[in-house]
Amino acid sequence: GAVVSQHPSWVICKSGTSVKIECRSLDFQATTMFWYRQFPKQSLMLMATSNEGSKATYEQGVEKDKFLINHASLTLSTLTVTSAHPEDSSFYICSARKTGVSNQPQHFGDGTRLSIL
Amino acid sequence: AQTVTQSQPEMSVQEAETVTLSCTYDTSESDYYLFWYKQPPSRQMILVIRQEAYKQQNATENRFSVNFQKAAKSFSLKISDSQLGDAAMYFCAYRRAYSGGGADGLTFGKGTHLIIQP
């Protein structure tokens, strides 16, 4: 149980386009999901916390207009990288925790490798 | 703000031997969770072990155990009988306990690259 699906796993697109990444909790409800970014050979950095039915909370230094987050249901959060540029190329990973269970660990998706040409 | 420090960028160990990965953290919270995650080349994040700060007993999962020293803010991971499949990046992570006022994401250390020599 506790599976998180992330799609797509790899995307290559031209500079200036927008890219949407989906994060789904397949067998549990998640009021809160998290989005992380990982540059090559570096650690994961929390970008934002996605809250179902309300606005996302962004970490300091993360542009909210650049990284649009929508959490329209208890099982789906999306991250849209708008007007992507080569410096946005990175590995993006989402995670989710079961609603109402505070001591549960986060379950991670398999990540999305984003390459902007 | 909380910080997590892993001072060993890379560690190497012979197969079947024991290795310890270090992690220290800084926080003003009294209640929190600590985790060790494994990230193989596939980049999938795999939970290895976790520790609740209010528990004095060190967590253990088969060949993996931790040495949690709350006063020293230290949380090391010991891998016994190392296997080739243990080779990966290992990240130490922190999360404050859910207080009802909002959920917090994980704060990760920079990671330790573990090499297993056959």
Side-chain angles (χ1 to χ4, degrees):
Chain A
V3 177
V4 175
S5 173
Q6 191 171 337
H7 178 80
S9 58
W10 196 356
V11 59
I12 302 174
C13 60
K14 293 181 178 180
S15 182
T17 59
S18 294
V19 178
K20 180 185 284 188
I21 303 170
E22 292 187 348
C23 180
R24 293 180 185 273
S25 54
L26 297 185
D27 53 357
F28 65 97
Q29 293 184 335
T31 305
T32 303
M33 294 185 177
F34 303 91
W35 289 96
Y36 298 86
R37 179 168 55 187
Q38 185 179 30
F39 290 110
K41 297 186 179 181
Q42 294 189 24
S43 186
L44 283 75
M45 296 295 292
L46 179 66
M47 297 176 64
T49 301
S50 172
N51 304 298
E52 186 268 335
S54 64
K55 291 183 179 181
T57 303
Y58 291 82
E59 295 300 302
Q60 190 173 9
V62 178
E63 301 174 58
K64 58 184 67 175
D65 294 332
K66 175 76 169 175
F67 300 98
L68 300 179
I69 292 173
N70 184 279
H71 194 151
S73 78
L74 287 171
T75 60
L76 173 64
S77 174
T78 61
L79 169 68
T80 301
V81 184
T82 62
S83 186
H85 292 285
E87 59 266 28
D88 298 322
S89 298
S90 187
F91 190 66
Y92 293 86
I93 313 175
C94 72
S95 71
R97 194 165 69 233
K98 292 181 181 180
T99 298
V101 187
S102 63
N103 64 350
Q104 283 288 306
Q106 295 181 20
H107 303 281
F108 284 86
D110 287 343
T112 297
R113 184 180 300 179
L114 176 62
S115 297
I116 309 298
L117 303 178
Chain B
Q2 49 274 6
T3 58
V4 178
T5 302
Q6 292 179 252
S7 58
Q8 305 154 316
E10 186 173 281
M11 291 284 285
S12 181
V13 64
Q14 291 287 130
E15 193 176 3
E17 297 288 303
T18 295
V19 63
T20 299
L21 308 184
S22 301
C23 173
T24 58
Y25 59 95
D26 188 26
T27 182
S28 58
E29 303 283 339
S30 60
D31 196 12
Y32 48 87
Y33 302 101
L34 296 165
F35 307 86
W36 278 98
Y37 280 91
K38 171 184 178 182
Q39 188 181 44
S42 67
R43 305 188 82 169
Q44 182 184 15
M45 295 297 286
I46 302 167
L47 178 64
V48 175
I49 199 166
R50 71 169 185 160
Q51 174 82 41
E52 290 93 337
Y54 63 86
K55 290 186 177 179
Q56 292 186 341
Q57 187 174 6
N58 290 323
T60 299
E61 290 287 343
N62 300 313
R63 298 183 295 108
F64 299 88
S65 62
V66 298
N67 183 3
F68 173 49
Q69 300 291 326
K70 190 172 184 179
K73 295 181 180 175
S74 171
F75 183 61
S76 61
L77 174 69
K78 185 173 80 172
I79 306 175
S80 304
D81 184 26
S82 297
Q83 301 176 0
L84 294 177
D86 295 334
M89 283 293 292
Y90 285 81
F91 292 100
C92 179
Y94 165 101
R95 178 176 76 82
R96 72 178 185 183
Y98 183 69
S99 62
D104 286 279
L106 295 169
T107 299
F108 287 90
K110 291 188 175 182
T112 297
H113 182 208
L114 179 62
I115 298 168
I116 311 295
Q117 298 186 355

